Amino acid sequence: MPFFKKKKSESSKGEPSKAEGEQSETKQPEPKAEAKPAEAKPAEAKPADAAQKKEEPAPQEPLGPPPKDLAFPVQLAHGSGTKKVKDFGTVKQLYVRIAEEFSLERRDLFFCTLGTDRVDTDRLLGGQIGLNDVIFVHVRGQEKDVTAMKSQAALGLTITDNGAGCAFIKRIKAGSISADIPEITVGDHISHVNGKDVFGVRHIEVARMLKEMPVGENFTLKLFSPQRSPFNQIAPRNTKGAASTGLTTGDSTLGTGKQTLRLKSTGAATVQTVDESSWTTKAAEAVDDCLESFMGIRDDELAETAVDAAKICPTLKEFVEKINEDLELFEFPESFVEEMWTVIQKVKVEVEGSK
């Protein structure tokens, strides 16, 4: 199915234009004689003004104290002293601050886990950090070169990224090609695909490259495993990561009413109260499952963006337009956007109906 692109048409501009029209009607003076010619030109200029306003991002109301007032304890997962990291509003800025504090190259930072030094993919730092969380940073370790034949259409890998240029393996499907290759493990950073450097390439593109490799031909991957602690074991090669027997500290689970810092790739970071029982939290998890099933990726921020769009879009048509505007980079086919809408609405009805 062809991908759809947003086109600026009269139908997509209908609501903003109408809103501007309603404002102009209240502003037009009662006298009909000499006032009409004077008001005619400003009235014609309104559509241009409306177009300009449509291009501007909607202001976001801050939901808590400024993120610059917050400082988070950070350790290297394989062992280090604790340092405080602050003055960041996005995931990319966080990794820049961490690299500065520990005198590391940004490329050497793979991902972060919250509250545990283990490679636990259920505790990955995504779009939110609990205000009491300790951040553990997993860095470049052993290099591994893998050559294998693609005997099936899918390799059985779920790919995610750290939001700052590093794609890595989050899950390995049992019985898949990858499950039979012992060098491939959960947490591995995918550095090169068939000789091509993919650092800085979004996880969706890496997953697409792996999917498009011809069946029946050999492929090569250059991987780097996270550096291991001498007192810790890396996560097993299954889908759920490590058991919770490593060092665990802080409030590492998103319980009802937990205060978190929500990081966004665009816009300001905000402090929010997360309620795991809310329909929005459960809907985001369901959308993330859809992403994994459809594209072989998981992305908390992307899923939350889709749910945020559904909250302000009363119809499927408006939701499609909003997704195509906010997530144009991903070029989702219309059928998949409709699936996300259906999943979100189903979860909303189920959760709100049970209260």
Side-chain angles (χ1 to χ4, degrees):
M1 182 174 294
F3 297 143
F4 63 100
K5 295 287 186 179
K6 182 180 177 182
K7 297 181 180 178
K8 294 185 178 179
S9 63
E10 293 180 3
S11 61
S12 65
K13 293 183 180 179
E15 291 185 5
S17 300
K18 181 179 178 182
E20 291 294 329
E22 290 172 352
Q23 291 176 6
S24 63
E25 286 176 7
T26 60
K27 291 180 181 179
Q28 287 182 359
E30 292 295 333
K32 298 181 180 180
E34 299 178 358
K36 272 191 174 181
E39 293 294 323
K41 290 183 179 179
E44 292 175 359
K46 284 288 183 180
D49 295 339
Q52 288 181 355
K53 289 183 179 180
K54 188 177 180 65
E55 296 295 332
E56 296 175 359
Q60 296 184 354
E61 182 179 354
L63 300 179
K68 66 180 181 179
D69 295 339
L70 301 175
F72 292 86
V74 179
Q75 296 180 22
L76 299 182
H78 64 278
S80 75
T82 301
K83 298 191 176 185
K84 294 284 188 177
V85 174
K86 60 180 181 179
D87 296 334
F88 61 90
T90 67
V91 173
K92 285 186 178 180
Q93 291 173 357
L94 170 60
Y95 278 97
V96 169
R97 298 288 180 268
I98 292 174
E100 292 172 350
E101 286 293 330
F102 290 94
S103 299
L104 295 169
E105 295 294 328
R106 190 164 60 88
R107 181 163 186 154
D108 292 333
L109 307 179
F110 285 2
F111 54 88
C112 296
T113 48
L114 301 177
T116 179
D117 61 345
R118 300 180 70 90
V119 180
D120 188 339
T121 57
D122 290 330
R123 296 186 181 179
L124 291 172
L125 185 152
Q128 299 185 58
I129 307 174
L131 299 191
N132 295 322
D133 278 334
V134 177
I135 300 172
F136 290 90
V137 188
H138 299 259
V139 302
R140 180 188 297 260
Q142 179 185 0
E143 178 180 340
K144 300 180 289 186
D145 293 310
V146 175
T147 300
M149 187 183 77
K150 188 177 181 182
S151 57
Q152 303 173 12
L155 295 181
L157 298 176
T158 296
I159 311 297
T160 189
D161 64 33
N162 66 359
C166 175
F168 61 94
I169 298 170
K170 184 171 184 178
R171 293 181 182 174
I172 301 174
K173 185 177 180 180
S176 66
I177 301 172
S178 298
D180 293 332
I181 302 174
E183 292 82 7
I184 300 178
T185 56
V186 170
D188 284 352
H189 162 47
I190 302 175
S191 175
H192 291 70
V193 176
N194 286 334
K196 181 178 180 180
D197 187 350
V198 294
F199 179 76
V201 177
R202 289 301 309 270
H203 56 334
I204 184 174
E205 293 299 330
V206 175
R208 189 172 291 159
M209 291 172 64
L210 298 176
K211 184 177 181 179
E212 291 177 352
M213 291 189 303
V215 175
E217 295 187 8
N218 287 342
F219 65 91
T220 62
L221 299 176
K222 179 179 283 189
L223 308 173
F224 287 90
S225 59
Q227 190 167 338
R228 302 177 185 226
S229 165
F231 306 105
N232 198 1
Q233 294 293 324
I234 200 165
R237 301 182 68 251
N238 59 20
T239 61
K240 287 297 182 181
S244 56
T245 56
L247 173 62
T248 303
T249 183
D251 188 6
S252 57
T253 57
L254 292 179
T256 300
K258 179 183 177 182
Q259 290 287 306
T260 68
L261 177 65
R262 181 175 179 185
L263 304 173
K264 301 180 181 180
S265 56
T266 58
T270 55
V271 174
Q272 297 181 336
T273 299
V274 174
D275 183 357
E276 277 199 324
S277 65
S278 70
W279 74 266
T280 54
T281 301
K282 293 182 179 299
E285 294 172 356
V287 171
D288 215 7
D289 291 339
C290 289
L291 290 169
E292 181 173 15
S293 175
F294 178 72
M295 307 176 69
I297 66 170
R298 292 191 76 85
D299 190 317
D300 295 341
E301 182 181 356
L302 196 159
E304 290 167 2
T305 300
V307 174
D308 288 344
K311 287 167 62 179
I312 63 174
C313 295
T315 66
L316 172 60
K317 179 181 178 182
E318 292 172 292
F319 179 72
V320 168
E321 292 178 352
K322 182 66 173 170
I323 291 296
N324 197 39
E325 178 181 344
D326 293 349
L327 303 173
E328 184 177 7
L329 172 67
F330 293 90
E331 296 184 326
F332 292 133
E334 186 171 358
S335 59
F336 180 67
V337 179
E338 291 176 354
E339 181 181 348
M340 287 196 294
W341 169 263
T342 302
V343 166
I344 292 171
Q345 299 306 315
K346 180 181 178 181
V347 172
K348 182 179 180 181
V349 170
E350 289 177 350
V351 173
E352 293 188 339
S354 65
K355 292 182 179 180

